Amino acid sequence: MDKIYGVTPIPIATIDLSPKEMMFWLYCPIKLPRRPTDKKGELAITYPTNLAQFEPIVDRAVRCVTENLDDYYIYLTAKTLWVTADNPGNRPGWHSDGFMTDDLNFIWSDCNATLFWEPEERVAFTQDHHASLAEMEAAAEADVEHHRVYPDKTLLLLDERVIHRVADVAKPGMRTFVKVSISRHKYNLVGNSINHALPLPADYIERSEGRNHPVGGKG
């Protein structure tokens, strides 16, 4: 059965953080499957010191998930960068996070909000990591009327059906972008940030030149 795309993200909450330290953390693992819960029965989440400031975002995201997360990975992406029109801080182009998976992604930014495509009628895309990108780009770019942004500092829930891209940067400046990824899959591409308090993957895979799909060996 074809999957449909173009659904809206779900606004979760406004979280008022104002990070100051420039950083670039990409898919840093903060929870591994089958890690024991703590004495209070809470998930065993382990933050690198620099990422502990984003605990309010992670906590709010985790509380939105109804599934038992014992067997899931949780990854944290955090980028505080100087962004410009030529360097918007995130990979350009229309895409979906977790394409062809049941991954959940929660995103937050303090300015230059992510641009979403929310068409009146949902569409189907080829279930291929490469062909789908061209299809998403063509469909979304031709339908400017249904582009939308959400207020700054809004935490948004995305599944694979949400089509979006980093917005054009109108004014250069500092921007923080945070993403919490909850997945059954191991994100093991070379270059992902390392949490030295957790075991490293034994099967790192080189990144491809094409789509930056986080799961090694899946296209």
Side-chain angles (χ1 to χ4, degrees):
M1 180 180 296
D2 288 340
K3 297 179 182 178
I4 60 170
Y5 294 84
V7 305
T8 61
I10 300 174
I12 301 301
T14 299
I15 301 177
D16 188 14
L17 299 179
S18 299
K20 302 301 182 186
E21 177 189 4
M22 195 173 285
M23 62 176 61
F24 187 106
W25 292 79
L26 181 64
Y27 293 127
C28 180
I30 57 173
K31 180 202 168 293
L32 302 181
R34 294 169 293 280
R35 296 276 291 182
T37 56
D38 65 17
K39 293 180 180 179
K40 297 180 181 179
E42 297 178 353
L43 289 175
I45 295 177
T46 304
Y47 295 96
T49 302
N50 300 57
L51 295 183
Q53 62 185 303
F54 301 113
E55 183 175 3
I57 292 176
V58 176
D59 179 68
R60 192 65 182 84
V62 166
R63 289 194 282 119
C64 290
V65 181
T66 58
E67 289 88 354
N68 185 314
L69 294 179
D70 286 350
D71 292 330
Y72 284 75
Y73 294 88
I74 300 179
Y75 303 93
L76 183 56
T77 295
K79 305 176 186 179
T80 299
L81 302 169
W82 182 266
V83 298
T84 66
D86 294 330
N87 182 20
N90 283 60
R91 179 171 63 86
W94 294 97
H95 64 283
S96 84
D97 289 349
F99 185 65
M100 294 173 58
T101 74
D102 62 355
D103 291 2
L104 294 177
N105 286 278
F106 297 80
I107 66 171
W108 178 98
S109 61
D110 61 355
C111 64
N112 196 48
T114 299
L115 186 64
F116 293 91
W117 176 50
E118 302 179 0
E120 290 184 352
E121 296 184 3
R122 308 298 180 243
V123 298
F125 294 119
T126 302
Q127 296 295 285
D128 175 89
H129 287 293
H130 303 286
S132 62
L133 285 180
E135 296 172 358
M136 292 175 188
E137 188 77 17
E141 281 299 303
D143 188 21
V144 177
E145 180 184 356
H146 294 105
H147 291 183
R148 180 181 178 185
V149 297
Y150 291 79
D152 292 340
K153 300 190 177 183
T154 301
L155 182 64
L156 299 165
L157 167 58
L158 289 60
D159 64 18
E160 67 149 330
R161 300 170 298 165
V162 178
I163 308 302
H164 60 286
R165 70 169 173 86
V166 61
D168 298 329
V169 177
K171 181 180 179 181
M174 294 293 289
R175 177 182 187 252
T176 296
F177 170 82
V178 178
K179 178 163 68 172
V180 180
S181 303
I182 299 177
S183 177
R184 302 177 188 271
H185 306 292
K186 183 192 299 181
Y187 291 5
N188 59 340
L189 297 184
V190 171
N192 285 357
S193 296
I194 294 171
N195 186 340
H196 292 275
L198 298 177
L200 294 176
D203 54 350
Y204 278 115
I205 294 174
E206 292 291 339
R207 311 183 94 84
S208 68
E209 294 183 6
R211 182 182 176 88
N212 185 19
H213 186 57
V215 182
K218 298 197 71 173

